[in-house]
Amino acid sequence: MGIEDASMRNGRALSDQWADSVVVRPRTTEQHITVNKRLVLGFAISILTLIVVTAIAITLSLSFERCAAESSGVLAANGSSNSKWKQSRDGNISHRDSEDGQQPWRHLRLPANLRPRHYDLRLSVYMENFTFSGEVNIEFECVHSTKLIVLHTDRLQVEKVLVYSDSKKAGAMRIQRRFHYQPKQVYVTSLHREMKPLRIYKINITFHAHIEHELLGFFRSSYVLNGERRFLAVTQFSPTHARKAFPCFDEPIYKATFSVSLKHESSYQSLSNMPVEASTSEEDGWVTNHFSRTPRMSTYYLAWAVCNFTYREAVTDNGVVIRLYARPDAIQSGSGDYALHITKRLLQFYQDYFKVKYSLPKLDLLAVPKHPYAAMENWGLSVFVEQKILLDPDVSSFSYQMELTMVVVHEICHQWFGDLVTPVWWEDVWLKEGFAHYFEFIGADFLFPKWNMEKQRFLTDVLHEVMLLDGLASSHPISQEVFEATDIDRVFDWIAYKKGAALIRMLANVMGQPLFQRGLNDYLMTHMYGNAARDDLWNKFSEAMQREGKDINITQVMDRWTLQMGYPVVTISKNDSLDNSVTISQEHFVYDTDAKIQNPELFNKSFQWQIPLMLAVGNSSHISTETIIWVSNKTETHRVGHMDGETWLLGNINQTGYFRVNYDLHNWRLLIQQLMTNPTMISVGNRAGLIDDVFNLARAGYLPQNIPLQMILYLSQESEFLPWHAASRALYQLDKLLDRTEDHSLFSDYVLRQVEPKYHKLGWPATSADGSFMRVAYQTQELQREVMMLACSFGNKHCHRQAVSFISDWISSNKNRIPPNVRDIVYCTGVSLMDEDVWEFIWMKFHSSTAVSEKKVLLEALTCSDNIFLLNRLLNLSLTSDLVPDQDVIDVIIHVGRNPLGRHLAWRYFREKWDILNSRYGEALFMNSKLISGVTEFLNTEAELNELKEFILTSGGESAPAFARAVEIVQANVKWHILFQQQFYRWLRKAPDG
Ligand SMILES: [Zn+2]
C-alpha cells in the first residue's frame, strides 16, 4: 500500500510540470467558408467516412483494450465467478488511472496505445571488451491517439532516436523530448504531433551496453578448455530482462515478429531462435548472421548466444533439426547424447498429444556453465545449465538422470505452453509453469513407462511437497496479483509450479484423459501465437465437458482453488445410524491455527472449496469401485454402499485430489489393520497418501501422535518404493524436529526396528555399474536405496560397516567400486563416521572430478562431518573461493544445517554472511527463498525463534514472504514440542516392537 501512495504523490507533482507540453495545445483559428450544395455533399460523405473509420477504430481498440485490461488481472472474468475477489482489483486500476493517467511511464504496465508488429534488431557483439552496440527498428501500430512512445529499457545507453510515420511524407517526425525513467525502466519519446489510430509508425533507436557479468539480460560466462579460459555470451530475458538488451515493449501481451542479426568475430558462432538465413563475412575477420523472421512471440522468449561450442544433431520425422550445443569436450565425450535422444522423442510425443505441430524448423538446446535457473525455454533455443542436460551414464546416479529428464521434458512442453500460447500476464504464470511441471510426469511416462511417474512419483515429489508449504497461514493464492516489477520474480515459486501441477492433475483426473486432451487441443488451436488467461482454458475445458453432456462449470470450480490460498482437509466419519450414511465436512488445513488467527487477512475468514472426492468402501476381502462426490458445503451427509462395523472408508482414491483426508479414529484403526494384514488391497498411491496424511494431520494436531507411529508398523509388509519414500520423507522431517532432544534414540530405535527386516532382505546393490536403470523399473533399485538410506542414517551398524569398508577400499585401491546409485549414502556415512583424512580425501576428489553429477554428490558428503571445525572450513571455502560453483553454495549451507551438529553453525553463518549472500543471490529470489527456508526450517527452540525474529528486524526482511514462512514454521515447531513431544515419547516408551 505504501508504495502505491508514494508513487501517486510523485505523480501529481510531475503532472504540473508536464501539463503544458502534454495537455494544452494551441487551437487553430476558425475560418469561415462559403457553403454550397456540392461542398455540403462532400462534407457529408467525409463525415460518413469518418464515422465508419472511427467505428472500426473503436471496435478494434476496444478489443485490444479488453485483452490488455484482462491481462492486468483487473477485469479478470468474462462474467464468470465470484465478484468478491474481483472487486478490489477493479477498484485499484480505476483509482490509478484517474490519478496519474498523464504520466503513463509511472505505471507498472505500459500504456496500451501502441502495439508492436515487427522488430528488426541488429547487434554487434564485442567479446574482447564485453560490450555490444545495437540498432532496433520497431514497426508498431497506433491504437489510441498519443504523442508518447513508452518503451522498456534498462542499463542501455540510448544514442539516437528517430520516429517515422507510414504516410507518404518522408522524413522523421519531430521529437519534443526524450528521457529515461529508471524507476519503471522505461524510455519515453514525446512527439510534437499526435500519432493517429490505425496508422503504422516506426521507431529507430541506436544504443550500446555491457555484456553483463550478472546472469540476466545479455550476459557472459566462461569455462576452461585445455587449460585455456574461453568466454561465451548468452541471454536470459524472462521475466523482464529483454529490456537490458534492446528497447522493446517488454510485456508478454505485446507479441510481435523479430528479425535478428548478430555481428561478431568469425572465431565465434552465433545462435538465435530461428535458423541462419544468410551469413555475410567481412574482410577484417567479422561475420554477420541474419536469422529468419520469428513467428509472433513475446519478448521474453527471444534469445541469442555467441560462443564457440560444438554440437550433435538429430532430425525428427517431420524434418525438425535438433542440435545440442555444449563445450567441445562434453560433446566429444557424448555427454549430450542422452538429452538429444529424448528431445527427439519428446517433440513427437507432444505433437501427438496436443495434436498441434511444433512451430519452428529447428530446436537448439544450449548447455551453459552458468545460468540463473535450471533451464529456460526460449522458443527454438532452450538454454540449460550443464548439470541439467549433460549426463555421463557411467557415473551418474538414477536420481540425477531422472531430474535431468524431467527438466528436459518440462522445457520441451513449454514450446507449446508458454512459447506458442503465452499467459497474458504474470499473475497467471502458473498456467505455463503448472502445465510444464505436470507434463514432466506425463512426458517421462511416455519415455519410460516403467517409471510410473504420474501415478506414483508425482505424489511424493509434487503433491506432498507443496502441501507442506501451502498448509501455512503465510501461503498465498496461486494466482497472485502483480503490482510492482519486483512482484514478478516472486510469482515464480513452488506454489505456482507444484500447486499448479497438482490442480491440473486433479482436473485431468476428474475430466478423464480424452476430454482433457480435447480441451487442451482446443485451447492451443484457439490461442496459438497469442496470449491466454486462465478463464480461456477453463472455458475450453467446460466446452469439452458439455459436448459430452457433462455440465460442470470448470471456471466456478477452479476459481475456488486458484483464487483462495491453501487447501481443505476433508473429514469423513461414519454415522451411527443404520442408513449407511457418512458425514463429510471440509475446513481450511493449517499446521498452526494460531498463525491463522494472528494473520489479519485470514482471521475470521472461512474458505470453502468445491471438492471432487473419490470415495471407496472396503473390508479385509473386498473394496468397492470408487464413487465421486462433489463436496461444496461445510458439512454434508451422503449415502454410500453397504457398511458394517468392519467396513473402512477410503477417500481421495489414488490421491488425485489436492486435499488431505481425515477419518474418525475407528476408521484409522481399520485402515491400519488392513495395511498390516494385506496392504495391496489399497493402491500404492493411496498407501503413500495415507502415510503422508497421517503424519501431517498429527503434526498439525488433528490426530493423536501415536497414529502415524502405529501406521508405519506395517512397513515390513511393504514391498513398493512409493510408500517407503513417503514414509522416509515424513520420518526425516520428524527426525529433524527431534534430533536434538534427549530421548531421540527412542525414536531412531523405533524407526530402525521397522526398517531392519526390509534392509536385511534387500541388501546392497551389486558393485558393477551397468546403467541398467533405463531398462528396468526404477522402483526396485530405488526401494533398495531408500531402505539403505534409512538404515544408515538411523544408525544400523551393518549399514555403517559396509559404507566404511567401501570407502576404505576406495582409498587403498584408488578405484571407486561404489555403485553410483548409492554413492551419496556411502560418502555421507563414511565422512560422518571416519576420521579427518576421509574428509580430506573426498575434498580432493571433489576437486579432481570432472563429472558434474559426481562433483555435487562429493560436495554434499562433506557436509555430513561431525567435526565442527571442518564444517566451518567448508562453509567459508564455499563462499570465498572459486572452487565451489555459485549454484552449489546454497546447497552447502542448507546441507550443513541438516546435520544436527551443523544446525546452529549454518544458521549463524547465514546471518553473518547475509549481506554477501543477499547481494549475490538477491535477484534470483527463488534461490534466495530456498536458502532462507533451508537454514531455518529445522530450528525449533524458543531461543532460535527469537534469534530469527530479531534477525528479520535487523536485516529489513519483514516483507519477504520467505521470512514470514520461516517464522511460521519455526513457531509451529516450537509449539509442537510444547504440546506433543511428551505424548509422542510416552507412547514410544511402551511401544510394541512391531
Ligand atoms: Zn518452466
Side-chain angles (χ1 to χ4, degrees):
M1 253 3 227
I3 297 157
E4 258 207 272
D5 288 342
S7 74
M8 283 190 314
R9 203 162 45 240
N10 290 340
R12 272 195 294 273
L14 246 188
S15 77
D16 301 331
Q17 186 190 337
W18 272 81
D20 294 340
S21 55
V22 181
V23 179
V24 183
R25 293 189 291 148
R27 290 181 187 190
T28 46
T29 343
E30 280 184 27
Q31 283 184 347
H32 294 279
I33 46 166
T34 323
V35 179
N36 67 36
K37 276 183 183 170
R38 226 199 246 149
L39 266 176
V40 171
L41 192 65
F43 187 59
I45 289 171
S46 46
I47 290 287
L48 201 66
T49 317
L50 193 68
I51 289 170
V52 171
V53 169
T54 315
I56 293 170
I58 287 172
T59 318
L60 284 176
S61 68
L62 274 182
S63 63
F64 185 61
E65 185 87 298
R66 188 179 62 86
C67 48
E70 266 175 18
S71 70
S72 68
V74 171
L75 300 173
N78 294 330
S80 67
S81 75
N82 220 309
S83 60
K84 173 175 73 180
W85 289 306
K86 308 272 155 65
Q87 263 168 12
S88 64
R89 300 179 177 200
D90 276 344
N92 234 311
I93 195 109
S94 55
H95 180 58
R96 276 203 221 165
D97 265 5
S98 62
E99 282 299 326
D100 48 17
Q102 304 297 326
Q103 295 91 32
W105 56 88
R106 294 184 167 277
H107 290 199
L108 167 63
R109 305 294 305 273
L110 294 175
N113 296 332
L114 308 175
R115 180 169 34 178
R117 290 163 39 128
H118 179 70
Y119 292 75
D120 213 332
L121 178 62
R122 293 148 196 273
L123 295 176
S124 302
V125 180
Y126 308 103
M127 292 297 282
E128 76 278 10
N129 64 359
F130 301 119
T131 60
F132 65 102
S133 64
E135 177 181 352
V136 66
N137 252 302
I138 312 173
E139 181 185 299
F140 61 89
E141 184 183 341
C142 178
V143 180
H144 298 291
S145 314
T146 179
K147 286 179 158 185
L148 298 173
I149 304 171
V150 185
L151 292 168
H152 284 111
T153 61
D154 185 25
R155 302 180 191 173
L156 299 177
Q157 287 297 320
V158 171
E159 286 156 12
K160 215 168 67 188
V161 178
L162 292 168
V163 181
Y164 301 91
S165 87
D166 67 340
S167 66
K168 286 162 199 102
K169 275 177 279 173
M173 295 173 78
R174 275 180 64 201
I175 292 171
Q176 188 182 47
R177 191 188 162 182
R178 54 187 174 94
F179 61 94
H180 182 62
Y181 183 67
Q182 182 51 35
K184 291 289 182 272
Q185 303 177 347
V186 289
Y187 195 86
V188 183
T189 304
S190 169
L191 300 170
H192 262 282
R193 272 195 301 121
E194 265 190 340
M195 294 173 285
K196 296 282 182 265
L198 285 181
R199 299 254 304 262
I200 306 295
Y201 298 85
K202 276 186 181 165
I203 185 165
N204 175 290
I205 304 174
T206 47
F207 57 93
H208 63 264
H210 290 282
I211 301 173
E212 297 280 352
H213 189 57
E214 188 190 13
L215 309 178
L216 296 168
F218 186 27
F219 69 91
R220 64 184 194 254
S221 68
S222 68
Y223 57 97
V224 175
L225 186 71
N226 305 328
E228 181 197 336
R229 186 160 291 277
R230 292 199 181 187
F231 288 92
L232 70 146
V234 65
T235 57
Q236 169 61 32
F237 289 165
S238 174
T240 56
H241 309 294
R243 63 191 68 171
K244 293 185 171 68
F246 66 106
C248 55
F249 295 84
D250 199 9
E251 288 179 16
I253 188 89
Y254 294 109
K255 285 198 169 186
T257 54
F258 296 83
S259 300
V260 176
S261 11
L262 294 172
K263 182 180 169 184
H264 48 81
E265 283 173 291
S266 55
S267 56
Y268 287 92
Q269 84 224 96
S270 54
L271 303 167
S272 185
N273 307 74
M274 298 297 285
V276 175
E277 198 173 55
S279 186
T280 48
S281 299
E282 282 155 47
E283 287 153 18
D284 53 2
W286 286 70
V287 65
T288 306
N289 280 335
H290 303 273
F291 298 91
S292 310
R293 177 188 283 241
T294 69
R296 279 190 83 224
M297 60 185 285
S298 299
T299 44
Y300 77 91
Y301 281 133
L302 197 70
W304 58 81
V306 175
C307 57
N308 31 38
F309 281 174
T310 51
Y311 66 86
R312 292 255 173 117
E313 183 180 283
V315 183
T316 69
D317 295 346
N318 302 354
V320 176
V321 180
I322 310 165
R323 283 181 180 174
L324 188 138
Y325 285 84
R327 285 182 279 120
D329 48 336
I331 290 296
Q332 206 175 11
S333 72
S335 304
D337 294 359
Y338 173 74
L340 187 65
H341 168 74
I342 61 170
T343 300
K344 182 180 164 182
R345 294 188 60 205
L346 284 167
L347 275 188
Q348 190 60 49
F349 163 72
Y350 283 123
Q351 280 189 169
D352 295 345
Y353 194 102
F354 297 139
K355 297 191 177 66
V356 176
K357 268 182 69 180
Y358 175 67
S359 331
L360 307 183
K362 65 99 173 168
L363 173 58
D364 293 333
L365 313 173
L366 183 67
V368 296
K370 271 189 183 183
H371 197 263
Y373 308 100
M376 177 62 209
E377 70 269 16
N378 309 307
W379 215 358
L381 175 57
S382 290
V383 181
F384 297 75
V385 69
E386 284 177 348
Q387 287 97 321
K388 302 295 179 196
I389 195 158
L390 300 182
L391 176 92
D392 305 292
D394 297 340
V395 288
S396 297
S397 68
F398 174 76
S399 57
Y400 180 87
Q401 184 205 5
M402 187 195 261
E403 201 179 321
L404 182 150
T405 306
M406 306 295 263
V407 173
V408 175
V409 179
H410 179 110
E411 302 310 320
I412 307 301
C413 177
H414 273 316
Q415 302 292 313
W416 283 264
F417 272 90
D419 289 287
L420 182 62
V421 178
T422 312
V424 281
W425 182 237
W426 300 108
E427 75 162 8
D428 274 338
V429 77
W430 70 272
L431 256 190
K432 79 178 179 80
E433 293 309 340
F435 261 96
H437 196 40
Y438 172 67
F439 271 98
E440 285 175 28
F441 295 82
I442 305 293
D445 277 344
F446 162 77
L447 293 172
F448 305 105
K450 285 181 176 165
W451 287 10
N452 217 345
M453 299 297 282
E454 192 269 345
K455 287 226 158 32
Q456 299 200 4
R457 201 64 188 245
F458 188 93
L459 302 183
T460 47
D461 294 12
V462 181
L463 195 66
H464 300 172
E465 190 84 34
V466 71
M467 284 205 288
L468 272 176
L469 213 63
D470 205 19
L472 299 172
S474 51
S475 188
H476 60 78
I478 187 169
S479 283
Q480 287 193 83
E481 294 170 84
V482 172
F483 292 128
E484 286 299 316
T486 44
D487 292 344
I488 294 173
D489 273 326
R490 208 185 58 196
V491 298
F492 286 86
D493 68 357
W494 277 25
I495 298 284
Y497 281 70
K498 291 187 185 277
K499 185 175 183 176
L503 294 183
I504 288 156
R505 177 168 174 267
M506 175 164 76
L507 192 55
N509 274 287
V510 169
M511 292 177 71
Q513 204 226 336
L515 288 187
F516 178 69
Q517 227 173 319
R518 201 175 307 161
L520 287 185
N521 166 262
D522 204 4
Y523 169 79
L524 288 170
M525 293 298 281
T526 308
H527 300 287
M528 54 168 59
Y529 306 107
N531 302 76
R534 57 177 179 273
D535 282 352
D536 296 318
L537 181 65
W538 305 151
N539 291 339
K540 294 299 178 191
F541 280 154
S542 295
E543 281 167 35
M545 297 285 275
Q546 272 152 19
R547 277 200 295 269
E548 291 292 306
K550 294 176 183 169
D551 205 12
I552 297 177
N553 184 332
I554 302 280
T555 313
Q556 230 165 60
V557 174
M558 292 311 286
D559 273 358
R560 296 278 172 154
W561 296 93
T562 59
L563 302 179
Q564 291 181 143
M565 61 173 267
Y567 56 86
V569 48
V570 175
T571 304
I572 308 170
S573 39
K574 231 183 288 183
N575 291 332
D576 288 335
S577 58
L578 293 169
D579 65 350
N580 293 323
S581 74
V582 292
T583 300
I584 301 172
S585 59
Q586 58 161 305
E587 65 176 293
H588 180 195
F589 175 90
V590 277
Y591 285 97
D592 182 2
T593 40
D594 287 350
K596 191 173 172 176
I597 294 164
Q598 284 156 14
N599 186 334
E601 276 182 45
L602 291 178
F603 182 70
N604 247 346
K605 212 175 245 179
S606 70
F607 291 153
Q608 258 166 269
W609 287 265
Q610 292 196 27
I611 305 163
L613 174 68
M614 304 265 214
L615 190 69
V617 293
N619 57 33
S620 55
S621 60
H622 176 78
I623 181 166
S624 72
T625 49
E626 64 266 22
T627 44
I628 183 165
I629 297 173
W630 282 93
V631 182
S632 43
N633 298 304
K634 278 264 152 209
T635 304
E636 298 180 4
T637 306
H638 290 269
R639 296 275 288 273
V640 296
H642 177 73
M643 290 186 293
D644 59 33
E646 296 306 301
T647 310
W648 40 257
L649 292 149
L650 182 66
N652 201 5
I653 299 304
N654 297 325
Q655 262 216 327
T656 53
Y658 184 69
F659 49 86
R660 297 196 184 282
V661 185
N662 196 4
Y663 309 93
D664 56 69
L665 281 180
H666 180 63
N667 198 69
W668 277 115
R669 292 211 179 91
L670 288 172
L671 285 170
I672 291 171
Q673 206 174 354
Q674 182 65 57
L675 291 173
M676 299 288 288
T677 50
N678 179 11
T680 53
M681 186 78 85
I682 294 170
S683 76
V684 176
N686 269 123
R687 276 156 24 218
L690 281 170
I691 292 171
D692 187 63
D693 275 350
V694 83
F695 273 95
N696 285 285
L697 289 166
R699 179 87 180 262
Y702 286 88
L703 279 177
Q705 301 304 309
N706 58 314
I707 306 288
L709 292 171
Q710 278 175 308
M711 184 175 280
I712 60 161
L713 284 170
Y714 101 96
L715 279 177
S716 52
Q717 317 281 323
E718 182 55 79
S719 50
E720 293 283 344
F721 161 71
L722 194 78
W724 272 100
H725 190 46
S728 80
R729 288 167 46 89
L731 291 169
Y732 286 128
Q733 282 277 336
L734 209 48
D735 184 53
K736 296 283 165 277
L737 200 60
L738 297 163
D739 62 13
R740 293 178 296 167
T741 57
E742 224 172 279
D743 291 329
H744 178 240
S745 63
L746 271 178
F747 173 66
S748 53
D749 289 349
Y750 181 80
V751 174
L752 267 188
R753 286 204 294 278
Q754 317 318 319
V755 172
E756 274 166 345
K758 204 79 191 173
Y759 169 74
H760 291 300
K761 194 171 162 205
L762 295 175
W764 279 55
T767 347
S768 75
D770 63 352
S772 59
F773 48 69
M774 284 163 74
R775 288 181 298 278
V776 301
Y778 79 92
Q779 283 92 338
T780 321
Q781 290 186 33
E782 288 296 277
L783 173 60
Q784 189 179 40
R785 182 190 142 76
E786 196 75 59
V787 173
M788 256 185 70
M789 185 141 66
L790 282 163
C792 260
S793 51
F794 281 93
N796 176 279
K797 293 285 175 290
H798 178 270
C799 194
H800 286 180
R801 276 198 302 275
Q802 282 286 104
V804 167
S805 81
F806 261 122
I807 298 275
S808 308
D809 171 64
W810 186 16
I811 294 174
S812 59
S813 68
N814 204 23
K815 277 208 182 80
N816 189 344
R817 283 185 270 251
I818 307 163
N821 217 26
V822 296
R823 282 187 183 172
D824 54 343
I825 305 171
V826 175
Y827 296 173
C828 180
T829 309
V831 166
S832 73
L833 295 175
M834 299 163 84
D835 60 20
E836 230 179 287
D837 296 349
V838 171
W839 196 91
E840 296 291 351
F841 176 77
I842 301 280
W843 176 242
M844 188 188 77
K845 288 288 171 193
F846 164 72
H847 288 303
S848 59
S849 171
T850 49
V852 281
S853 57
E854 179 73 359
K855 254 182 135 60
K856 199 164 169 59
V857 174
L858 289 162
L859 184 64
E860 282 176 10
L862 294 168
T863 68
C864 299
S865 172
D866 60 356
N867 183 329
I868 293 283
F869 168 78
L870 290 176
L871 291 176
N872 221 346
R873 184 172 147 209
L874 179 65
L875 285 171
N876 283 316
L877 275 171
S878 67
L879 195 62
T880 52
S881 75
D882 253 2
L883 301 169
V884 176
D886 258 10
Q887 63 266 22
D888 292 339
V889 174
I890 284 177
D891 284 334
V892 168
I893 304 173
I894 292 172
H895 278 267
V896 170
R898 284 189 190 156
N899 180 344
L901 290 164
R903 181 97 20 100
H904 218 87
L905 188 68
W907 169 225
R908 201 180 60 213
Y909 189 79
F910 165 82
R911 282 173 292 159
E912 279 170 12
K913 304 295 176 194
W914 168 250
D915 288 338
I916 301 171
L917 291 164
N918 197 33
S919 68
R920 195 188 294 189
Y921 300 106
E923 280 262 17
L925 219 96
F926 191 61
M927 290 174 85
N928 203 346
S929 70
K930 175 182 159 188
L931 175 66
I932 293 169
S933 62
V935 287
T936 57
E937 66 182 326
F938 301 123
L939 302 177
N940 54 37
T941 66
E942 199 74 61
E944 287 166 341
L945 177 62
N946 290 333
E947 281 169 3
L948 174 62
K949 286 179 176 168
E950 199 185 300
F951 172 71
I952 293 171
L953 276 178
T954 51
S955 67
E958 291 105 313
S959 59
F963 277 126
R965 268 202 302 274
V967 170
E968 189 182 342
I969 290 170
V970 179
Q971 228 153 19
N973 291 349
V974 173
K975 195 170 143 188
W976 187 89
H977 279 286
I978 295 169
L979 292 178
F980 304 122
Q981 187 189 317
Q982 275 200 338
Q983 181 193 16
F984 185 85
Y985 281 130
R986 201 181 311 131
W987 188 84
L988 277 177
R989 256 180 227 112
K990 47 182 185 179
D993 246 81

